Amino acid sequence: PTPAASPDPTAGLDEIAGEWIAVPPSPLGRRVGSVSAWIGDSLLRWGGQVWKDGGTFLPAVKSDGAIYRPTEGEWREIAPSPLPARQRPIAVWTGEKALVWGGEADGAPYNDGAAYDPAIDRWRPMAPSPLAPRIGPAAVWTGRELLILGGFDLAGPRSDAAAYDPAQDAWRQIAPAPDGLLQAAWDLGAEWANGAVLVWVAGKSDLAPGALYDTDADSWRLLPGIGSASFLHRIVPVPGGLLAVTLDRGGRLHLLELADGESHWAPVSIAPLSSAWRISVEWTDVGLVVVNNSATHWLYEPGADQWLRLPDGPAFDAWWQDTLWTGRELIISGRSPNNAPPRREAPDWAFRFAPNLDSGALSRRPWRDSPLAAATPRPG
């Protein structure tokens, strides 16, 4: 007999108000390894490797870019960049300029960068970096500096880091991270978290899963270990704390909280999902959005400790999804691996929450003030 289908664990969840909006195709065409950044009121996409229709590979990288403005619903190409063509660079928005740095072409990494000013549609080269060429570093804007951390080259992972001040067009080396934290060739992430830089390493759980870097003191503090066999997917800064998103061996998604005054991660919730492989998560003003490679996506609201369904939307039949929070909507792109054709790549979509769902609208319990008190001082 045919076994009965497993019930949908999300079927009973309430639906959050909002709408899916299709983003028009980019004039850059189908690419792998391009970089995207939200630059105030627009989506910037730059560089990458070109593919023909049908997944035919073209061994060519590009140095062109385009901007999409949601209010106009249109793309426009931007001025040519002074950088050589490449894929997989990093990009951050300073509030005035987009800083694009690093990347690689034909396996050879770069350590140069340029600043793009969308107000005048002009680029300028960044000062030479003290870092060796590398691929896949973590990057974060602190409000004053661009931090470049880790990454890897043909010889293996790099454990150094540096900060770039665009106002002075100058670099400085920063204190070494503790215990080889940056010695992770893949899945190293960094985000600005309430006055410090949060650095996390996907996959680590029983060891220190990450650290906090104090930019003023130039010092590091380790986060406590999660202490389980779960796979760490990401650590997300939220108001008053940190959320660790982990997957158990069955692919179920668990959330753990690290809050002010505590020295360990406390279980918060298990997602009502049967499996959560190939997900992307993004913190928004409403809550934590979990984007799946199916047509069903979810939101966890920590203030109310509740899960909600997003309205059924596009199925991102991709290896993973790039997500960008604009302050009003979440822009999502399906992505394939850099060495595979983007035949699974879905068009860009945006999910726009209903206007009445502003920050804290769903909260029912307050979060504590700071995630930093729970960090462990660096030994020595």
Side-chain angles (χ1 to χ4, degrees):
T2 303
S6 299
D8 180 2
T10 68
L13 297 184
D14 292 336
E15 186 174 289
I16 195 167
E19 63 176 335
W20 290 95
I21 302 167
V23 176
S26 162
L28 305 182
R30 295 157 62 93
R31 296 203 181 172
V32 168
S34 60
V35 67
S36 298
W38 184 251
I39 56 170
D41 62 354
S42 306
L43 171 66
L44 169 68
R45 183 158 294 158
W46 184 87
Q49 200 160 18
V50 180
W51 297 79
K52 283 185 178 179
D53 290 341
T56 303
F57 177 60
L58 288 177
V61 289
K62 294 290 187 177
S63 62
D64 56 346
I67 281 178
Y68 170 70
R69 285 193 170 89
T71 54
E72 301 171 2
E74 295 180 352
W75 289 86
R76 69 171 177 86
E77 297 186 61
I78 63 174
S81 162
L83 299 174
R86 64 194 66 186
Q87 64 169 338
R88 302 173 66 191
I90 62 90
V92 302
W93 174 241
T94 70
E96 295 180 352
K97 297 178 177 63
L99 305 179
V100 177
W101 187 91
E104 58 95 6
D106 300 322
Y110 286 100
N111 67 343
D112 58 344
Y116 174 71
D117 187 339
I120 58 176
D121 191 28
R122 185 177 300 172
W123 293 83
R124 69 164 177 81
M126 294 164 57
S129 163
L131 299 172
R134 64 197 59 203
I135 304 169
V140 64
W141 175 250
T142 69
R144 187 182 65 188
E145 295 176 313
L146 162 68
L147 262 62
I148 305 290
L149 308 111
F152 62 98
D153 57 21
L154 299 180
R158 310 287 305 193
S159 60
D160 54 346
Y164 172 74
D165 182 346
Q168 304 296 323
D169 191 26
W171 292 82
R172 67 178 178 90
Q173 301 266 188
I174 70 172
D179 297 341
L181 180 74
L182 303 184
Q183 292 278 3
W186 303 99
D187 295 327
L188 180 68
E191 296 187 57
W192 184 244
N194 299 335
V197 177
L198 167 68
V199 180
W200 51 270
V201 183
K204 289 191 174 184
S205 57
D206 53 334
L207 304 176
L212 292 161
Y213 172 70
D214 187 324
T215 57
D216 293 331
D218 191 26
S219 63
W220 293 82
R221 287 184 283 179
L222 285 172
L223 297 175
I226 291 176
S228 72
S230 297
F231 178 88
L232 174 64
H233 181 74
R234 184 174 176 182
I235 298 178
V236 182
V238 299
L242 301 175
L243 277 182
V245 182
T246 68
L247 300 174
D248 64 20
R249 295 185 182 277
R252 292 185 306 170
L253 187 148
H254 297 243
L255 301 180
L256 300 95
E257 175 190 52
L258 182 65
D260 184 27
E262 297 181 358
S263 59
H264 65 280
W265 296 88
V268 174
S269 178
I270 300 177
L273 322 171
S274 57
S275 180
W277 296 113
R278 294 182 181 173
I279 62 166
S280 295
V281 298
E282 188 74 27
W283 177 256
T284 72
D285 292 349
V286 177
L288 182 75
V289 175
V290 179
V291 180
N292 191 32
N293 62 349
S294 71
T296 304
H297 314 285
W298 310 277
L299 178 136
Y300 176 71
E301 204 291 302
D305 189 23
Q306 66 177 340
W307 286 90
L308 300 167
R309 288 179 60 143
L310 271 64
D312 284 346
F316 293 97
D317 186 14
W319 289 99
W320 64 82
Q321 301 80 28
D322 288 340
T323 54
L324 282 173
W325 175 243
T326 72
R328 184 184 180 190
E329 56 198 13
L330 186 66
I331 297 179
I332 307 167
S333 304
R335 288 287 178 261
S336 299
N338 290 334
N339 60 352
R343 59 183 180 273
R344 299 185 176 190
E345 197 167 315
D348 293 340
W349 285 81
F351 182 77
R352 182 173 298 168
F353 291 97
N356 62 317
L357 297 178
D358 56 355
S359 178
L362 301 177
S363 295
R364 297 174 186 168
R365 64 177 175 86
W367 277 60
R368 285 159 283 191
D369 293 335
S370 171
L372 305 184
T376 303
R378 178 186 176 190

